[in-house]
Amino acid sequence: MNTLKIHRNLPQLLLKARDALLSHFRGILTHYGLTEQQWRIVRSLHEQGPLEPNQLCDVCQILSPSMVGVLSRMQTQELIVRERAAHDQRRIIISLTPQGQAIYARVAPLVEAQYRLIEDAIGHDLIDQTYAQIDRLLSAPLDQVPSVELPPVDRQT
């Protein structure tokens, strides 16, 4: 008799929750010609100020190879500017252009209004509890969880 307990697929559930929530914001972003990644970058640069590409990758949860293309398109759209750091010419600093700041000023109030509509529909308590639980999960020592030992690979099959 097999007693293996199969856990629910937490990463998949988190992705479903993300997609369910993002569906309420995509129309706003599309209306202004932004992708979700571009909005994360615009919002992060507005909130935190100029950042280096690796910092932007971390803050926005965008992998470096993808970030290169997104930043190139954003520079072409004149939403961001890349400049060499004054203190170290090897480093690049990304900041919003006036056009990038203007797009933030137009989009942010609509995003905030959409958040209020979501909170009104599903409840402020649920939103607050969700934030609290996600913060708890992210502050847990996940980097200290050991990996399961893998069996040798049978190359004959």
Side-chain angles (χ1 to χ4, degrees), residues 51-98:
L51 295 170
E52 293 182 37
N54 63 330
Q55 295 171 312
L56 215 44
C57 287
D58 185 52
V59 170
C60 297
Q61 294 297 295
I62 300 172
L63 296 175
S64 183
S66 295
M67 182 64 81
V68 171
V70 175
L71 291 177
S72 291
R73 287 185 293 281
M74 291 179 77
Q75 190 169 13
T76 300
Q77 294 171 296
E78 298 181 355
L79 297 175
I80 58 126
V81 63
R82 299 182 219 206
E83 298 174 316
R84 298 230 176 251
H87 63 283
D88 184 345
Q89 291 292 301
R90 296 170 297 174
R91 298 169 87 174
I92 302 293
I93 304 295
I94 311 295
S95 57
L96 288 176
T97 62

Side-chain angles (χ1 to χ4, degrees), residues 26-34 77 79 103 106-107 110:
R26 283 191 187 109
I28 297 167
L29 302 180
T30 301
H31 181 76
Y32 286 96
L34 294 172
Q77 294 171 296
L79 297 175
I103 199 89
R106 288 192 297 274
V107 174
L110 297 171

